[in-house]
Amino acid sequence: MLAIFRKEINQFFSSPIAYIIMGVFLTAVGLLLWVFPDTSLLENGYADMGTFFNLTPYVMLFLVPAITMRSIADEVRSGTLEWLLTKPVSRWGVVGGKFLASWLLVVLTLLPTLIYYVTLYQLGSPVGNIDSAGVFGSYIGLFLLAGVFVSIGLWASSLNDNQVVAFVLGVFFCFLLYVGLSALAGLSVAGSFSYYLALFALDEQYRALGRGVIDSRNVIYLSSLIFLFLFLTANGLKSTK
């Protein structure tokens, strides 16, 4: 797993891909939070990062599949996956190494946004007048949500050898779990299932962590989703092997 992890990290940072993705993400979020008047933190009149944590998952819906779309699809297309699976490395080693490398890249992309917290902390009146517990709870939720998106992206990448198809499928499934379940729960036809649809919706689990109290149930649920999609990915590689 460690060898796969190092290979993926070196591949990310030896090409412009990682820098372009990180640059596009930080530019897009920066414009939304500090320039565009409708979403600017400076227009709110109070030190709060709610806008950032509400908008970032929607940017990640496209960012993460762009990172993971080539992880397995490119290996299948180039024929290197079969060669890789003949080496003394398990399917879980391949999937785990690729997952950790992609997750680390997303986390490294999110870390510079901590400067927004520092800025609002200083701009608060008095200084430090910001809900720090809610901010760090939201960051934990954001990192876990990124892990779920990465695992979904890897699974989508394992379904097809075309990177564009893998990207589209990754965006679709991430959107379905993050927004789709809540939207279905709001429909009258859902009836008694509305409660359960809302309970399992990713956005509800994510927002719960942003309240400043780290509930183990939310952490376990998001971690279970990560394991589920990694299991599906590894199981797909089993048939390839």
Side-chain angles (χ1 to χ4, degrees):
M1 183 184 295
L2 185 60
I4 300 294
F5 172 78
R6 287 199 301 263
K7 180 185 81 72
E8 291 293 312
I9 289 294
N10 290 334
Q11 194 167 8
F12 277 136
F13 288 100
S14 62
S15 68
I17 296 175
Y19 305 102
I20 291 174
I21 290 175
M22 294 171 74
V24 168
F25 171 78
L26 294 174
T27 301
V29 173
L31 290 173
L32 287 171
L33 297 181
W34 301 104
V35 177
F36 298 155
D38 291 338
T39 55
S40 174
L41 296 176
L42 298 176
E43 299 294 330
N44 287 339
Y46 53 91
D48 180 70
M49 291 188 64
T51 303
F52 168 75
F53 291 114
N54 289 334
L55 292 176
T56 301
Y58 292 98
V59 180
M60 286 171 49
L61 284 173
F62 299 93
L63 167 76
V64 175
I67 293 174
T68 59
M69 65 180 184
R70 50 155 293 278
S71 294
I72 297 176
D74 191 56
E75 301 274 11
V76 175
R77 182 186 58 80
S78 61
T80 56
L81 181 62
E82 291 81 359
W83 173 84
L84 185 62
L85 292 175
T86 61
K87 299 298 179 181
V89 56
S90 65
R91 290 176 290 113
W92 278 100
V94 174
V95 174
K98 289 179 176 291
F99 168 76
L100 292 176
S102 299
W103 196 10
L104 177 61
L105 181 59
V106 178
V107 170
L108 291 177
T109 304
L110 291 172
L111 283 180
T113 62
L114 286 171
I115 196 172
Y116 303 155
Y117 166 74
V118 176
T119 302
L120 290 178
Y121 185 92
Q122 296 296 324
L123 290 175
S125 180
V127 174
N129 185 24
I130 185 173
D131 183 9
S132 297
V135 169
F136 287 107
S138 295
Y139 265 109
I140 291 174
L142 200 58
F143 292 151
L144 287 173
L145 184 65
V148 175
F149 285 171
V150 168
S151 64
I152 293 174
L154 282 178
W155 176 61
S157 182
S158 69
L159 297 177
N160 195 279
D161 62 353
N162 189 300
Q163 295 185 32
V164 177
V165 174
F167 172 77
V168 173
L169 289 176
V171 172
F172 172 75
F173 287 118
C174 289
F175 182 85
L176 179 64
L177 286 179
Y178 186 75
V179 180
L181 292 182
S182 293
L184 289 174
L187 298 176
S188 58
V189 294
S192 59
F193 290 102
S194 297
Y195 171 77
Y196 298 101
L197 288 174
L199 183 64
F200 289 106
L202 277 179
D203 57 345
E204 292 296 327
Q205 300 288 331
Y206 168 65
R207 291 193 189 100
L209 290 171
R211 298 187 184 108
V213 178
I214 307 302
D215 193 328
S216 59
R217 291 173 297 181
N218 304 123
V219 175
I220 291 172
Y221 176 69
L222 293 174
S223 301
S224 299
L225 278 182
I226 293 174
F227 177 80
L228 171 64
F229 283 102
L230 291 182
F231 172 79
L232 292 175
T233 305
N235 195 55
L237 293 186
K238 182 180 180 180
S239 59
T240 302
K241 187 174 183 179

